[in-house]
């Protein structure tokens, strides 16, 4: 197995929304806001070579929306989904599977793109099976008013229309080296891939722990549908990670790709953090 970080650029979100009830005097020390109270966040995906499979986890925001949409989020940075895939020596047609942790636009936007003459939306990875789960799919395609702006039909429905969508059933993974943790605090049935890599477990934390700054239990996003449940789910995931020395991979942390956590007198905190390669080197 080989694991690659796939950078797809950065975007900006309101710092208060990203840190919830935590005072700005605290969170601003971690990820300083600009004059509009916006902080930069990564959109960091994974690419896993596992035997004959080439598995993408999440796809970033993509590039098919209009300038007005991107203007809300100040998409910036030089990295792109396909550019990063190609930099690892692969073409889009090589991807066999795409795991979508959940269907918010900054995680699934890159899954679909326009065809060459801009007349139709098609799956970005023509030969891939796209994996979600039925409970989350139903939640996303019949969205509640609060999440409606995050579930965009153009990001989702073309996958089903192309016949490339499949559901993980009964929470049983179709992959030999990837299991899943299903959580409901951020959104219904978000899937956190847990990758068995040599003698380690790597947890792709998606939006349960969007960054290393969010490790303290009360540091949760205002975007979460069920914040108290998020806190309980974080506690369980972090407890296991600290006990078993799991490596956490952060999708949105602007600085740090990965970390391990440890028990302290103040609760579970970051032990060390840095590039993923520091934690999976032989």
């Amino acid at each position: 197995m080989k694991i690659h970080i796939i950078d797809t650029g950065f975007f900006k979100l309101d710092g208060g929304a990203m840190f919830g009830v935590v005072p700005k005097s605290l969170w601003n020390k971690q990820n300083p806001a600009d004059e509009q109270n916006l902080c930069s966040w990564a959109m960091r995906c994974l690419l896993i070579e596992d035997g004959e499979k080439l598995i993408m986890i999440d796809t970033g925001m993509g590039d098919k929306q209009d300038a007005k949409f991107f203007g809300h989020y100040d998409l910036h940075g030089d990295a792109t989904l396909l550019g990063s895939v190609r930099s690892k020596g692969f073409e889009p047609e090589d991807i066999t599977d795409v795991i979508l942790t959940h269907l918010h636009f900054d995680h699934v936007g890159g899954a679909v793109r326009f065809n060459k003459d801009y007349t139709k939306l098609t799956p970005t990875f023509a030969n891939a099976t796209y994996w979600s789960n039925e409970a989350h799919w139903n939640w996303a395609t019949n969205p509640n008013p609060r999440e409606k702006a995050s579930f965009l039909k153009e990001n989702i429905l073309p996958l089903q229309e192309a016949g490339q969508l499949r559901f993980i059933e009964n929470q049983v993974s179709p992959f030999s080296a990837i299991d899943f943790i299903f959580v409901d605090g951020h959104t219904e049935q978000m899937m956190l891939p847990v990758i068995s890599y040599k003698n380690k477990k790597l947890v792709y934390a998606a939006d349960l722990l969007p960054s290393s700054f969010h490790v303290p239990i009360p540091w949760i996003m205002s975007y979460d549908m069920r914040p108290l449940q998020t806190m309980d789910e974080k506690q369980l995931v972090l407890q296991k990670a600290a006990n078993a020395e799991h490596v956490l991979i952060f999708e949105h942390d602007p600085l740090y790709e990965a970390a391990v956590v440890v028990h302290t007198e103040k609760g579970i905190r970051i032990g060390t953090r840095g590039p993923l390669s520091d934690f999976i080197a032989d």
Side-chain angles (χ1 to χ4, degrees):
M1 179 184 286
K2 294 182 180 179
I3 300 177
H4 307 280
I5 292 289
I6 298 295
D7 291 313
T8 70
F10 294 84
F11 70 136
K12 288 189 175 185
L13 293 172
D14 184 85
M18 284 298 290
F19 290 104
V21 299
V22 178
K24 184 177 181 180
S25 59
L26 296 179
W27 63 253
N28 200 52
K29 296 175 183 177
Q30 302 293 327
N31 191 4
D34 64 17
E35 64 279 358
Q36 295 180 300
N37 210 49
L38 301 175
C39 303
S40 283
W41 302 95
M43 290 179 286
R44 181 177 297 113
C45 307
L46 280 189
L47 185 63
I48 302 171
E49 297 180 64
D50 188 17
E52 294 182 355
K53 287 190 174 294
L54 189 60
I55 306 164
M56 176 72 64
I57 301 180
D58 279 354
T59 63
M61 194 181 295
D63 59 6
K64 66 182 175 298
Q65 309 298 334
D66 60 23
K68 181 179 179 181
F69 177 87
F70 288 127
H72 293 312
Y73 302 103
D74 190 14
L75 190 64
H76 58 285
D78 296 328
T80 64
L81 173 64
L82 295 186
S84 292
V85 168
R86 289 182 172 120
S87 75
K88 306 302 179 183
F90 301 104
E91 290 298 321
E93 294 76 17
D94 298 328
I95 306 297
T96 63
D97 298 87
V98 180
I99 296 169
L100 300 169
T101 61
H102 60 301
L103 301 173
H104 287 167
F105 68 84
D106 54 315
H107 297 257
V108 71
V112 172
R113 61 177 172 174
F114 278 105
N115 61 4
K116 290 183 178 180
D117 56 6
Y118 283 79
T119 58
K120 184 179 179 181
L121 290 170
T122 62
T124 300
F125 304 107
N127 299 320
T129 298
Y130 287 78
W131 295 93
S132 183
N133 66 79
E134 189 171 10
H136 182 66
W137 179 268
N138 291 337
W139 182 270
T141 53
N142 298 281
N144 62 77
R146 189 173 174 198
E147 275 185 288
K148 188 174 182 179
S150 293
F151 292 127
L152 305 179
K153 291 182 178 180
E154 61 267 30
N155 287 338
I156 301 172
L157 297 183
L159 302 177
Q160 186 179 56
E161 292 164 357
Q164 292 177 234
L165 176 71
R166 288 190 64 185
F167 294 143
I168 293 173
E169 298 180 358
N170 301 317
Q171 300 188 351
V172 177
S173 176
F175 303 99
S176 60
I178 303 174
D179 292 315
F180 294 94
I181 300 169
F182 288 78
V183 291
D184 297 292
H186 179 62
T187 189
E188 184 80 5
Q189 289 288 277
M190 180 169 66
M191 306 189 298
L192 310 185
V194 181
I195 305 150
S196 296
Y197 179 79
K198 298 182 179 178
N199 62 339
K200 297 180 182 292
K201 296 284 189 182
L202 315 179
V203 181
Y204 186 78
D207 277 352
L208 180 69
L209 291 158
S211 77
S212 62
F213 318 134
H214 288 83
V215 166
I217 299 301
W219 290 52
I220 62 175
M221 298 184 290
S222 294
Y223 299 114
D224 290 0
M225 293 297 99
R226 306 177 181 106
L228 295 179
Q229 188 164 352
T230 292
M231 293 172 70
D232 289 341
E233 291 165 347
K234 279 179 63 175
Q235 183 67 47
L236 290 172
V237 169
L238 288 170
Q239 186 84 17
K240 192 168 185 178
N243 292 343
E245 299 183 355
H246 292 172
V247 178
L248 301 174
I249 301 173
F250 303 112
E251 189 159 5
H252 291 311
D253 195 306
L255 301 174
Y256 304 103
E257 294 175 356
V260 293
V261 292
V262 297
H263 293 282
T264 74
E265 293 180 355
K266 294 183 178 180
I268 297 172
R269 294 291 186 268
I270 293 290
T272 57
R273 56 187 176 181
L276 178 61
S277 58
D278 285 358
F279 298 94
I280 63 174
D282 294 331

